[in-house]
Amino acid sequence: MVDVFWYLPTQGDERYLGTKIGRREATYPYMSQIAQAVDQLGYGGMLIGTGQKQDTWIVAASLIPVTQRLRFLVAFRPSIMSPSLSARMAATFDQISQGRIILNVVTGGDAEELAKDGVFLSHDERYELTDEFLTIWRSLMHGEEVHFSGRHVKVEGAKLQFSPVQKPHPTLYFGGSSDAAIEVAAKHTDVYLTWGEPPQQVAEKIAKVRRLATEHGRTVRFGIRLHVIVRETTQQAWDAANDLIKYLDEKTITAAQQKFGRSQSEGQRRMVELHKGNREQLEISPNLWSGIGLVRGGAGTALVGNPDTVAARMLEYTDLGIDTFVLSGYPSLEEAYRVAELVFPRLPLNSLPTVKSQSEFDPYNEFASASNSTSNLLQPQPTAS
């Protein structure tokens, strides 16, 4: 069984990359519309990213009362908040939402972006800080009184005065491709989240994390962050992929690639290596397209194809050990519906929607639905627990 999450574009949404044509601002009504659609369609959760965009915690908290079952994968940076404050915020959110928070620990990133938040640590120093942060955070969530003095973080007599709903604590997601990152993931986190690399590279990462986690006496689950471009036919899907980047010019691509090249992130370096800025070599693995990474930092690959093909490629990742997919598309609202309609019926989902078939033409209905599963109406049902 797998979970499929969606992504909330708190930085704004797009129809085409590299242009303002068709751009949508991240207004609260629009973000609420996406969240409610994702909730009703049967997605297991929604990622709300961090960075120079609308505040992750505030956006997530504001969406609690307008959703019913949706879990919020809240991204945050240990380098800009204390572990004690983070533990209180997470436990508070967990209580108010009745167990609907998940945490995505973000250590890496662009040095220029981090400097805007007053963070001037080196790559490895940030992971040292994260190690100390999570040591304290997990102890607090277990109800312990913590006295800790590390190189980067120090607390005296810290204690969480109330408990989260989820025991022992909300699930911790964590990503990073460097040796320092993988060591922290193996030691502390519940789910290791990789960007969408070809299956062989993902398999190598999973094996490495599993081995290190075993050395720490732990087990770790695995997730993958991908975009999706799915259409009823393969040709339509590839046409949509090419349409997404039709306004990109070489100047825009070169500027983006130069910026990515300055990043300290090993994951970002690996994303760039997949295509090397060449728009003529974007299918890096069967149906895995790196066109988004030409100008978008972070997750830069998409699964492209018809519903059967996209589902098959996802199941190839599950065979490697992936059990959570964090997906997105452009624009977010329409693609959330499209993925749920076309791909969900082909996956063994934990939060499987009920499919209502309309196999016969109804002359009194304004719309006639085909009998095949790709045109069925989706009705959500409660998440299996």
Side-chain angles (χ1 to χ4, degrees):
M1 303 296 286
V2 300
D3 278 316
V4 177
F5 291 9
W6 197 248
Y7 173 77
L8 183 69
T10 54
Q11 75 281 7
D13 202 2
E14 297 168 300
R15 184 173 293 277
Y16 307 102
L17 296 179
T19 179
K20 293 183 179 180
I21 298 173
R23 179 168 173 78
R24 301 172 188 174
E25 297 302 319
T27 64
Y28 183 69
Y30 183 55
M31 290 190 292
S32 298
Q33 189 178 10
I34 295 172
Q36 289 174 322
V38 171
D39 189 25
Q40 294 164 9
L41 288 166
Y43 287 87
M46 185 169 64
L47 170 63
I48 307 178
T50 187
Q52 302 297 312
K53 57 187 75 170
Q54 295 192 30
D55 182 77
T56 308
W57 292 91
I58 294 175
V59 170
S62 74
L63 296 172
I64 294 172
V66 300
T67 54
Q68 296 180 342
R69 49 172 293 282
L70 188 64
R71 292 176 290 164
F72 300 94
L73 180 52
V74 176
F76 73 98
R77 297 186 186 277
S79 55
I80 60 175
M81 67 192 312
S82 76
S84 303
L85 174 60
S86 172
R88 288 197 299 275
M89 291 172 67
T92 302
F93 193 113
D94 206 42
Q95 286 197 0
I96 292 174
S97 67
Q98 285 299 294
R100 291 200 280 145
I101 190 173
I102 311 167
L103 282 305
N104 183 30
V105 183
V106 180
T107 295
D110 180 76
E112 293 181 6
E113 180 178 314
L114 291 167
K116 295 174 183 177
D117 285 327
V119 179
F120 298 93
L121 300 174
S122 68
H123 176 276
D124 286 357
E125 285 174 332
R126 292 199 300 272
Y127 285 100
E128 289 175 359
L129 182 151
T130 302
D131 182 17
E132 295 176 5
F133 182 104
L134 292 176
T135 298
I136 297 168
W137 191 92
R138 292 172 63 206
S139 296
L140 290 171
M141 284 291 182
H142 283 80
E144 301 172 13
E145 181 176 300
V146 183
H147 299 266
F148 184 95
S149 181
R151 181 184 176 191
H152 303 282
V153 186
K154 179 179 180 179
V155 297
E156 295 182 357
K159 186 175 177 63
L160 188 60
Q161 301 298 326
F162 54 97
S163 300
V165 172
Q166 301 176 76
K167 305 299 181 185
H169 55 70
T171 303
L172 287 173
Y173 279 61
F174 184 89
S177 297
S178 67
D179 290 341
I182 290 176
E183 174 64 28
V184 172
K187 184 177 179 181
H188 290 291
T189 55
D190 303 305
V191 181
Y192 177 79
L193 187 62
T194 180
W195 286 335
E197 298 178 357
Q200 180 57 40
Q201 294 182 26
V202 171
E204 292 169 359
K205 274 188 182 180
I206 288 175
K208 186 173 184 179
V209 174
R210 277 180 172 160
R211 176 176 57 80
L212 290 175
T214 299
E215 292 177 5
H216 288 288
R218 306 183 67 248
T219 58
V220 177
R221 293 169 42 222
F222 297 93
I224 191 167
R225 173 77 178 94
L226 285 161
H227 304 276
V228 176
I229 302 173
V230 62
R231 298 294 186 270
E232 292 186 358
T233 71
T234 299
Q235 186 60 54
Q236 288 172 346
W238 284 111
D239 287 345
N242 290 322
D243 199 46
L244 184 61
I245 61 172
K246 71 179 182 180
Y247 290 109
L248 289 184
D249 55 33
E250 291 306 314
K251 181 179 178 180
T252 302
I253 294 172
T254 299
Q257 293 302 303
Q258 288 176 346
K259 179 180 179 181
F260 301 155
R262 296 192 297 268
S263 175
Q264 297 177 351
S265 167
E266 175 66 12
Q268 185 64 71
R269 184 194 67 78
R270 291 167 69 105
M271 282 284 106
V272 171
E273 281 295 312
L274 294 176
H275 55 73
K276 297 182 174 65
N278 183 356
R279 66 190 302 164
E280 303 303 320
Q281 300 177 7
L282 296 177
E283 189 177 5
I284 54 173
S285 181
N287 304 101
L288 184 64
W289 183 70
S290 60
I292 293 172
L294 290 173
V295 292
R296 185 197 192 278
T301 55
L303 292 177
V304 181
N306 63 40
D308 288 331
T309 299
V310 169
R313 296 293 179 240
M314 291 176 70
L315 293 175
E316 288 176 3
Y317 283 113
T318 67
D319 289 341
L320 301 178
I322 299 292
D323 64 24
T324 303
F325 294 85
V326 183
L327 305 179
S328 56
Y330 298 93
S332 183
L333 180 63
E334 290 92 321
E335 294 304 303
Y337 276 98
R338 200 185 305 269
V339 170
E341 177 187 355
L342 298 180
V343 182
F344 277 14
R346 294 164 168 81
L347 296 175
L349 295 180
N350 277 323
S351 53
L352 183 65
T354 300
V355 180
K356 181 181 178 181
S357 178
Q358 293 185 331
S359 57
E360 296 182 2
F361 175 71
D362 181 358
Y364 297 102
N365 191 346
E366 182 180 359
F367 302 103
S369 297
S371 60
N372 63 65
S373 62
T374 62
S375 298
N376 288 332
L377 301 179
L378 297 174
Q379 304 294 331
Q381 66 181 22
T383 306
S385 58

